[in-house]
Amino acid sequence: MNVPEYLLLFSGSGEFSVEVKFKGDGFVPPRSATVQEITSLVNSETGGFHTAMTFDEHLFEVYKYEMDPIKKKLIIRAREYDHL
């Protein structure tokens, strides 16, 4: 299973701001990203979006991506993986 790590996906520089909103407890600092880095949200094996991601090596389910191309903002909504 190809599961990306949030802190490794985005360089911290770029024109987009990236925030994560957890359902329940959890916080990771916002990052900046380039458009090219945002394309890494697509799983190269399946061609679909990643539905799982690790945050500080803790596995979460990604249930929604929200993108505002005018404000250059990406919000990743994640919750604890309850079906492991």
Side-chain angles (χ1 to χ4, degrees), residues 2 19-20 42 44 50 55 63-64 74-75 77:
N2 181 11
E19 293 180 21
V20 178
V42 175
S44 61
H50 286 286
F55 300 89
Y63 66 92
K64 186 184 277 189
L74 169 67
I75 298 173
R77 295 194 180 267

Side-chain angles (χ1 to χ4, degrees), residues 5-7 18-22 26-31 54-56:
E5 166 62 43
Y6 170 75
L7 292 173
V18 182
E19 293 180 21
V20 178
K21 298 197 180 213
F22 291 101
F27 174 79
V28 293
R31 306 273 295 173
T54 57
F55 300 89
D56 291 331

Side-chain angles (χ1 to χ4, degrees), residues 60-76:
F60 282 79
E61 178 180 29
V62 175
Y63 66 92
K64 186 184 277 189
Y65 292 104
E66 298 175 16
M67 184 167 322
D68 185 331
I70 294 172
K71 292 182 180 178
K72 295 186 177 185
K73 185 174 188 174
L74 169 67
I75 298 173
I76 301 170

Side-chain angles (χ1 to χ4, degrees), residues 34 39 64-65 78 80:
T34 65
T39 64
K64 186 184 277 189
Y65 292 104
E80 287 190 54

Side-chain angles (χ1 to χ4, degrees), residues 5-51:
E5 166 62 43
Y6 170 75
L7 292 173
L8 299 177
L9 276 179
F10 309 114
S11 64
S13 62
E15 61 274 15
F16 271 80
S17 66
V18 182
E19 293 180 21
V20 178
K21 298 197 180 213
F22 291 101
K23 189 175 251 186
D25 293 334
F27 174 79
V28 293
R31 306 273 295 173
S32 294
T34 65
V35 171
Q36 292 78 16
E37 290 170 331
I38 290 174
T39 64
S40 65
L41 297 175
V42 175
N43 185 329
S44 61
E45 295 172 5
T46 65
F49 286 96
H50 286 286
T51 57

